Amino acid sequence: MNARVYSSTSLSKLILAVTFAALCVAPPVLAQTNYKFDAATVSGLPARNIGSATMSGRIAALDAVEQDGRITVFVGAASGGVWKSVNGGTTYKSVFDRESVQSIGAVAIDPSNAKTVWVGSGESWTRNSVSVGDGVYKSTDSGENWTNVGLKDTEHIAKISVDPKDGNTVLVCATGHLWNDDDERGVFKTTDGGKTWKKVLAGTNGSTGCGLISRSQQEPQTIYASLWDFRRQGWTFRSGGPGSGLFKSTDGGDHWSEINDRNAKGLPEKPWGRIAVAVAPSKPQVVYANIEAKKSALYRSDDGGASWTRLDASNYMIWRPFTSAI
């Protein structure tokens, strides 16, 4: 049998010719199948821990931003400072080690400038073992360095909301002291990047602070805030009182009107305890409120707070309402 030897060049030509011939006689490629994608498609994919709770206790706050295809995440821990990830949570590094406190309650990235990050120290989940903070911190270099910009006597901060159109205008939801009355609690506002602060929503007594705030993404001047009247003592904990309530502002937090069971349909009878509130990102008129009351439940409004529908009232929703968040 005669063997035929090919040079590398002629062998390459032969391979190309055979491949081309095969393509010419091959059956036509079928159109790509359209697969159904719904909740059932991802129902078998469980949530997984991406850190950094093992070293830091409870995770009290987080915020993230996507730029140039990279997701940067800032995580605030109950007793472990602030952690930063630049790869969507795959790895983290601690960026708050040089500060005087390690308990974090709020983290917010400036929507107009991702290098500016705000942190509210002192977690707001009012356990008897909770650690305190010493005010608001600000970084202008994506968390590498921090400056304390005030509200040092708040001790516990639940939320920070940055105006998406003006990074110098910021609202701080300060829960306040856990064990005693104090004045530095409620909703505070700065319009100069933290140089000065003004209390724009205050409770009726020294035991009432801010429970939570939420800003409409489509209408950023519309803000909802809850006030929470509470007191922890060594032998008991009181959640709720005459100071608790739900409020709405349509001018960026300068003025507020109360939403209650007398002027809005469907809300439970007062007194209330803690209220977690959230505005739907897609529809500014849709608001959710998890209200601690005699009939604790998750409530929804489709008209900006004028009327409400009672939704989930299962134990999964109301088991520990004083620690609830949306």
Side-chain angles (χ1 to χ4, degrees):
M1 183 175 182
N2 296 327
R4 187 173 183 180
V5 179
Y6 292 94
S7 67
S8 58
T9 301
S10 59
L11 183 59
S12 299
K13 290 180 179 180
L14 179 61
I15 293 173
L16 287 173
V18 173
T19 303
F20 178 75
L23 290 174
C24 289
V25 298
V29 178
L30 298 177
Q32 184 175 359
T33 304
N34 292 324
Y35 293 98
K36 182 181 179 182
F37 183 83
D38 54 18
T41 309
V42 296
S43 61
L45 298 177
R48 63 185 180 88
N49 191 333
I50 59 173
S52 52
T54 301
M55 300 176 65
S56 307
R58 299 175 296 278
I59 299 300
L62 66 87
D63 201 359
V65 62
E66 181 178 2
Q67 283 187 321
D68 302 324
R70 185 178 71 177
I71 298 177
T72 299
V73 184
F74 284 90
V75 174
S79 57
V82 180
W83 297 77
K84 178 182 178 181
S85 171
V86 295
N87 49 24
T90 303
T91 59
Y92 286 87
K93 73 170 184 177
S94 180
V95 294
F96 210 73
D97 292 338
R98 298 189 300 271
E99 315 317 315
S100 58
V101 296
Q102 287 294 292
S103 179
I104 307 299
V107 175
I109 301 171
D110 184 346
S112 61
N113 181 6
K115 289 186 176 181
T116 301
V117 185
W118 297 78
V119 164
S121 62
E123 68 159 321
S124 65
W125 312 130
T126 49
R127 308 161 75 98
N128 54 2
S129 59
V130 66
S131 298
V132 301
D134 63 353
V136 179
Y137 287 81
K138 178 182 179 182
S139 172
T140 57
D141 55 8
S142 195
E144 297 302 317
N145 297 280
W146 300 90
T147 301
N148 188 305
V149 292
L151 302 181
K152 292 187 176 183
D153 196 35
T154 52
E155 288 198 357
H156 302 284
I157 293 176
K159 193 77 173 180
I160 295 178
S161 179
V162 184
D163 190 325
K165 297 182 179 180
D166 179 9
N168 288 319
T169 300
V170 180
L171 292 172
V172 170
C173 171
T175 307
H177 289 198
L178 175 61
W179 301 92
N180 61 286
D181 292 357
D182 73 305
D183 293 328
E184 205 159 87
R185 62 202 309 160
V187 180
F188 293 84
K189 181 176 182 179
T190 180
T191 57
D192 53 16
K195 295 178 182 178
T196 59
W197 297 90
K198 176 184 178 182
K199 185 187 287 188
V200 293
L201 181 61
T204 57
N205 54 41
S207 60
T208 298
C210 180
L212 205 61
I213 57 175
S214 182
R215 183 192 299 267
S216 169
Q217 294 186 15
Q218 297 187 23
E219 300 175 2
Q221 293 299 299
T222 299
I223 302 159
Y224 295 82
S226 67
L227 291 181
W228 183 28
D229 190 344
F230 69 97
R231 172 66 69 248
R232 180 171 285 285
Q233 294 173 297
W235 59 91
T236 187
F237 178 73
R238 172 181 61 81
S239 178
S244 294
L246 181 62
F247 298 81
K248 178 180 180 179
S249 173
T250 57
D251 59 5
D254 290 329
H255 302 89
W256 299 84
S257 57
E258 186 174 4
I259 301 172
N260 54 43
D261 56 330
R262 297 185 302 274
N263 60 26
K265 298 179 180 179
L267 288 174
E269 181 183 356
K270 283 196 167 188
W272 295 345
R274 191 168 195 174
I275 306 160
V277 61
V279 186
S282 58
K283 297 180 180 179
Q285 293 300 309
V286 175
V287 186
Y288 294 90
N290 194 354
I291 302 176
E292 180 186 11
K294 290 182 180 179
K295 293 185 177 181
S296 299
L298 175 65
Y299 292 81
R300 169 176 168 151
S301 173
D302 293 309
D303 51 16
S307 61
W308 298 79
T309 301
R310 188 170 185 257
L311 303 177
D312 190 1
S314 67
N315 280 342
Y316 292 107
M317 183 62 62
I318 65 172
W319 185 253
R320 299 180 72 183
F322 70 89
T323 63
S324 64
I326 296 180

